[in-house]
Amino acid sequence: IVRNVLEGGQIRIVKSASNVDKADANTQAKIEAIEKAVNGAVFGVYKLENGEYVEVDKITTGTYYNNGQVEYGVGYSSPNAKLEFGKTYYVIEIKAPAGYAVDSTPKEVTLTNDKKQEVLKWTNYPTVSITLTKVDSIDANKTLSNAEFALYEYDEETGKKVGERINDTTGKNKTGSNGTITFAGLKP
């Protein structure tokens, strides 16, 4: 009797951060900074059906111990996802660690009998904030409240705005009583 058993492949995520060196984990404070920067990212694993992304798995990065070595910012697809060989999957970051920007660029993966595990690498970049102060045109020491601002992401190549209006930290998009407005959590 011959049985055909479907063997599934695996996706491994390795997360790094632009502002932390994982090789420098020699003190508790540095280890905590590394874990904060790379652990807790969430990725969706999708397949395309009728032109739509259909989620088949989620991967969350964390700390793993592999052959006596500590690995930070690593995540694996679930064996229950049953990722099939020869099928194409798309991996998209859907949540970044706190203080870091999401990179939602899809990465394409096709697993094969020869390549049962695909390793994908992502780099985290810290988010930035912009604080603007609205002042009177005659008296620069006088700040103005209730001035409305609109912030958009722009495509550098086309010079056109991309996406929806970005809200400030209050959601009102107007300067407060001190004349300032802050936009936080922005991609660098």
Side-chain angles (χ1 to χ4, degrees), residues 10-16 22 38 41-45 58-62 64 71-77 91-93 107 109 117-122:
Q10 185 177 54
I11 296 171
R12 179 177 190 252
I13 303 288
V14 178
K15 195 81 164 139
S16 62
K22 289 199 279 187
V38 296
V42 179
F43 296 84
V45 180
K58 276 195 178 149
I59 301 172
T60 301
T61 59
Y64 286 84
E71 295 182 313
Y72 302 101
V74 175
Y76 296 90
S77 58
V91 181
I92 302 170
E93 184 175 31
K107 292 191 180 185
V109 175
Q117 184 184 76
E118 181 75 35
V119 178
L120 299 176
K121 296 182 179 184
W122 259 271

Side-chain angles (χ1 to χ4, degrees), residues 5 7 13 15 28-29 45-46 50 63 68 70 83 92 98 116 126 138 142 155 162-163 186:
V5 177
E7 245 184 20
I13 303 288
K15 195 81 164 139
Q28 186 61 35
V45 180
Y46 302 89
N50 300 319
T63 300
V70 179
L83 302 178
I92 302 170
K116 295 181 182 195
I138 298 170
K142 181 180 177 187
D155 182 316
V162 179
L186 304 173

Side-chain angles (χ1 to χ4, degrees), residues 124-140:
N124 277 347
Y125 293 93
T127 56
V128 296
S129 296
I130 298 172
T131 299
L132 305 171
T133 304
K134 178 70 172 176
V135 296
D136 186 85
S137 63
I138 298 170
D139 180 0

Side-chain angles (χ1 to χ4, degrees), residues 114-187:
D114 296 329
K115 195 171 189 178
K116 295 181 182 195
Q117 184 184 76
E118 181 75 35
V119 178
L120 299 176
K121 296 182 179 184
W122 259 271
T123 300
N124 277 347
Y125 293 93
T127 56
V128 296
S129 296
I130 298 172
T131 299
L132 305 171
T133 304
K134 178 70 172 176
V135 296
D136 186 85
S137 63
I138 298 170
D139 180 0
N141 292 320
K142 181 180 177 187
T143 59
L144 303 173
S145 62
N146 276 338
E148 187 171 340
F149 285 88
L151 182 65
Y152 294 91
E153 185 176 338
Y154 277 84
D155 182 316
E156 291 181 26
E157 290 181 21
T158 64
K160 295 183 179 182
K161 67 181 177 182
V162 179
E164 300 294 318
R165 179 178 174 163
I166 299 169
N167 287 321
D168 71 326
T169 54
T170 67
K172 297 177 185 173
N173 291 336
K174 292 184 179 186
T175 57
S177 59
N178 63 354
T180 65
I181 184 171
T182 299
F183 297 91
L186 304 173
K187 291 180 184 178

